């Protein structure tokens, strides 16, 4: 198990620092309304531009990070494995994008990140959202943010502590529930500045963080908590019901693919 | 004109130009005109592929956004003076729900303002939906920059595996039903998920073997030093852009940290992308042509955007209707003509080829 947990896509210092930088920019892209400070009219104009700056910026950063992670790290086996898991994830999402907020995306992503490691989980999460958006015709400005969010879910699934058997299942189910809630919270944070101007729920540039957080919490309660609870419960339930065989299948595939096996080329003797 | 599909990037540029145009106005008539233009072009030029039907769901999503926006305004809106429509019962939420007050008087002005802002978002979504229905995702994947080649391959594999997965799942479900095993609900899901996943993983190993035997993963003749230089440029460019964003958003920061930093970062990134591209030795199979219809499409989209930006700078009235006093929305001539010009691809671009599958 330990040999598999080391994962297929490894992080060296460059991709780690790029991941850190992108994540900081990503956090800024989600939470900027909390930190704007009105000082003169110029800033007010810019705080209107901020969401659009991020809509241009985040896809660029996600693309760079993914290309850096994939650079030389993806051999044919990893490409095929990722492709298949992304396909299954996208198919799982297709019938579940409805009104309840429940989505099947995390169901494969969490075991995938767990078995193949955090780098794999990151790429798997991002590409699952991308492929399912292409399949269902859901490409839009929100897509890079969903990709980043889902990629984080896969990344942290690969960072979970070691556990086995029932405790591993409980760990993954709990993680699935929390990830479902946090995913909704973060995506709400992204949508927050767009839909609420002129109400008590809109952020106030320059107000204290606590005041803006209070407004955000009200918006979250009003708009989306109804979606998040089914998603969290659904994630946990799916992992509990089918987690064990799925984990076993993935581990078997990882062993058969022998990701860690070194390849030697020896000159052919005369 | 011979039927052929217009370059997907042309559709996306056209649609994003329309969407950006929608951001420049809150006039309901102009926004409705934008939606109508997008609708017309989609109706005239969409193919019969599955993704071409997505425009309708984007429109429904837009309507939902308008409804939610008005509902939020009625329940949580700031109570401003105006013509009172009706009064909702007043209720102060408990403190765990942030102490927001619910209900109160609802004025015509606030409802109209909420409708216009909701319509703006809905227009944006309709434009994006138009691009989704007009541009083929498969062709779009083929224009992915060569830096993202590996990931493009992953997504291509996923897109071609997805229909097979659906077929396999249906087959396994039928087999379980015939054997009298549970095929619905949670137990059915469990019995379904594992064989589907096992089969898919099995196929992935076959695919990997066949990719390996056909020479996948060959790397160009890039020296290590140039590769490392490119990667360092990427990293520095990203950092510069992040600093730049904070510089732009925080007016207290020195000017150098704002737009100039963003420019430096963008330049570094473009340079590293170009370096990676010039070293790539991959060729494209039957690349999509970029001809007159593509230029027309892009030009049509940009005309709408330019007309709205110009109207904004010329100070033409009616781009942002007043709410106090409430006046009937106007239809400014220059932006209206620009938006109508964006409908040109509905007549001037070639029809999509009829797919025989």
């Amino acid at each position: 198990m330990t040999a598999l947990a080391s994962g297929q896509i490894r992080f060296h210092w460059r991709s780690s620092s790029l991941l850190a930088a992108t994540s900081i920019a990503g956090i800024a892209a989600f939470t900027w309304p909390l930190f704007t400070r009105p000082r003169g009219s110029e800033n007010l104009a810019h705080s209107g531009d901020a969401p659009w700056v991020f809509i241009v910026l985040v896809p660029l950063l996600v693309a760079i990070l993914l290309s850096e992670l994939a650079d030389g790290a993806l051999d044919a086996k990893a490409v095929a494995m990722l492709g298949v898991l992304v396909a299954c994830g996208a198919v799982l999402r297709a019938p579940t994008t409805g009104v309840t907020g429940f989505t099947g995306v995390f169901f494969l992503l969490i075991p995938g990140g767990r078995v193949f490691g955090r780098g794999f989980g990151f790429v798997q999460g991002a590409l699952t959202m991308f492929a399912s958006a292409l399949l269902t015709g859901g490409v839009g400005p929100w897509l890079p943010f969903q990709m980043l969010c889902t990629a984080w879910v896969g990344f942290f699934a690969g960072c979970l502590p070691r556990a086995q058997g029932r405790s591993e299942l409980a760990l993954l189910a709990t993680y699935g529930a929390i990830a479902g809630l946090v995913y909704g919270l973060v995506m709400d944070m992204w949508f927050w500045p767009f839909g609420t101007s002129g109400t008590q729920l809109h952020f106030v540039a320059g107000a204290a963080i606590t005041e803006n957080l209070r407004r955000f919490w009200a918006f979250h309660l009003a708009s989306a908590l109804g979606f998040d609870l089914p998603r969290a419960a659904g994630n946990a339930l799916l992992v509990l019901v089918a987690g064990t065989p799925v984990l076993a299948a993935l581990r078997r595939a990882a062993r058969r693919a022998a990701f860690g096996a070194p390849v030697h080329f020896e000159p052919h003797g005369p | 004109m011979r039927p052929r599909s217009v370059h997907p990037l042309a559709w996306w540029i056209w649609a994003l130009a329309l969407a950006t145009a929608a951001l420049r106005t809150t006039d309901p008539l102009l926004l409705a005109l934008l939606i109508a233009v997008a609708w017309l072009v989609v109706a005239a030029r969409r193919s019969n592929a599955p993704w071409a039907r997505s425009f309708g769901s984007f429109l429904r999503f837009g309507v939902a956004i308008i409804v939610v926006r008005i509902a939020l305004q009625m329940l949580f809106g700031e109570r401003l003076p105006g013509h009172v429509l009706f009064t909702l019962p007043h209720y102060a939420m408990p403190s765990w729900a942030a102490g927001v007050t619910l209900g109160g008087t609802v004025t015509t002005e606030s409802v109209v303002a909420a409708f216009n802002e909701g319509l703006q978002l809905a227009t944006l979504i309709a434009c994006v939906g138009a691009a989704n229905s007009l541009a083929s995702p498969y062709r779009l994947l083929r224009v992915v920059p060569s830096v993202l080649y590996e990931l493009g391959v992953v997504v291509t594999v996923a897109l071609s595996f997805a229909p097979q997965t659906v077929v396999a799942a249906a087959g396994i479900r039928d087999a379980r039903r015939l054997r009298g095993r549970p095929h619905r609900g949670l137990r059915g899901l469990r019995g379904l998920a594992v064989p589907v996943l096992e089969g898919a993983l099995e196929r992935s190993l076959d695919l990997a073997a066949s990719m390996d035997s056909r020479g996948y993963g060959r790397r160009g003749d890039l020296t290590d030093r140039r590769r490392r230089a490119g990667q360092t440029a990427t990293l520095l460019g990203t950092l510069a852009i992040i600093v730049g964003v904070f510089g732009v958003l925080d007016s207290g920061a020195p000017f150098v940290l704002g737009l100039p930093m963003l420019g430096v970062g963008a330049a570094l990134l473009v340079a590293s992308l170009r370096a990676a591209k010039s070293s790539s030795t991959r060729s494209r199979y039957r690349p999509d042509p970029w001809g007159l219809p593509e230029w027309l499409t892009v030009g049509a989209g940009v005309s709408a955007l330019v007309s709205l930006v110009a109207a904004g700078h010329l100070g033409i009235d009616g781009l942002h209707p007043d709410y106090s006093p409430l006046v009937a929305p106007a239809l400014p001539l220059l932006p209206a003509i620009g938006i109508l010009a964006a409908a040109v691809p509905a007549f001037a671009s070639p029809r999509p080829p009829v797919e025989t599958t």
Side-chain angles (χ1 to χ4, degrees), chain B residues 30-316:
Chain B
L30 286 179
L31 291 173
L33 197 59
L34 275 169
I35 295 181
V37 163
W39 200 332
L40 176 72
V41 175
V42 168
R45 285 298 176 261
R46 72 172 171 193
S47 62
N48 52 4
W51 59 83
R53 289 194 293 269
S54 59
F55 188 66
S57 55
F58 276 88
L59 282 185
R60 282 195 290 279
F61 185 43
V63 172
I65 282 194
I66 296 178
V67 171
V68 168
R69 183 73 188 76
I70 292 178
L72 277 181
Q73 181 71 38
M74 284 180 176
L75 286 176
F76 299 102
E78 309 275 3
R79 304 295 155 205
L80 298 174
H83 301 81
V84 177
L85 269 183
F86 53 87
T87 306
L88 286 175
H90 197 79
Y91 178 67
M93 295 287 278
S95 60
W96 60 265
V100 172
T101 52
L102 274 179
T105 52
V106 176
T107 58
T108 320
E109 285 84 350
S110 68
V111 171
V112 170
F115 172 79
N116 285 353
E117 280 170 21
L119 186 65
Q120 191 182 28
L121 275 185
T123 311
L124 199 87
I125 283 166
C127 295
V128 170
N132 272 299
S133 347
L134 288 167
S136 152
Y138 295 98
R139 288 173 183 275
L140 193 66
L141 266 184
R142 290 171 52 181
V143 292
V144 161
S146 60
V147 191
L148 293 173
Y149 169 75
E150 277 115 340
L151 300 163
V153 174
V154 173
V155 176
T156 311
V157 169
L159 288 188
S160 51
F161 256 117
Q164 295 180 27
T165 311
V166 174
V167 172
I172 291 167
R173 216 184 124 191
D174 284 348
R176 284 180 69 82
R177 204 185 63 228
L178 290 174
R179 287 176 193 141
R181 299 279 184 83
H183 63 280
R184 285 207 195 92
L186 278 178
R187 293 184 62 195
L189 181 85
R190 185 186 167 127
L192 190 65
V194 176
V196 169
L197 189 63
E198 286 280 6
L201 292 173
E202 196 75 32
R203 284 206 305 269
S204 89
L205 291 184
D206 291 348
L207 176 69
S210 85
M211 283 166 76
D212 266 339
S213 67
R214 284 168 178 76
Y216 171 82
R218 180 182 169 272
R219 302 184 65 88
D221 325 314
L222 193 61
T223 59
D224 269 1
R225 205 166 145 197
R226 270 196 72 182
R227 199 201 309 280
R228 215 161 289 144
Q231 286 164 340
T232 313
T234 311
L235 191 59
L236 290 179
T238 313
L239 289 177
I241 282 200
I242 290 163
V243 172
V245 166
F246 283 107
V248 166
L249 292 185
D250 185 356
S251 66
F255 176 73
V256 188
L257 290 186
L259 285 177
M261 207 62 164
L262 272 184
V264 169
L268 275 172
L269 287 185
V270 169
S272 72
L273 287 182
R274 286 189 75 96
K277 191 185 168 84
S278 68
S279 69
S280 165
T281 52
R282 293 189 185 93
S283 56
R284 281 189 205 288
Y285 175 65
R286 281 164 65 183
D288 282 325
W290 185 284
L292 187 62
E294 280 76 14
W295 285 116
L296 264 178
T297 306
V298 169
V302 172
S303 79
L305 178 58
V306 167
S307 71
L308 270 161
V309 171
H313 279 288
L314 293 175
I316 292 182

Side-chain angles (χ1 to χ4, degrees), chain A residues 1 3-5 77 81 85 111-112 114-116 168 243-260, chain B residues 193-206:
Chain A
M1 215 92 0
L4 298 179
K77 280 179 290 196
M81 187 72 72
L85 289 180
R114 172 81 178 164
V115 170
F116 295 107
E168 179 177 37
T244 311
V246 167
L247 278 172
L250 289 179
R251 290 203 165 116
R252 197 171 83 91
R255 208 161 32 243
R256 285 190 59 198
F259 283 125
Chain B
V194 176
V196 169
L197 189 63
E198 286 280 6
L201 292 173
E202 196 75 32
R203 284 206 305 269
S204 89
L205 291 184
D206 291 348

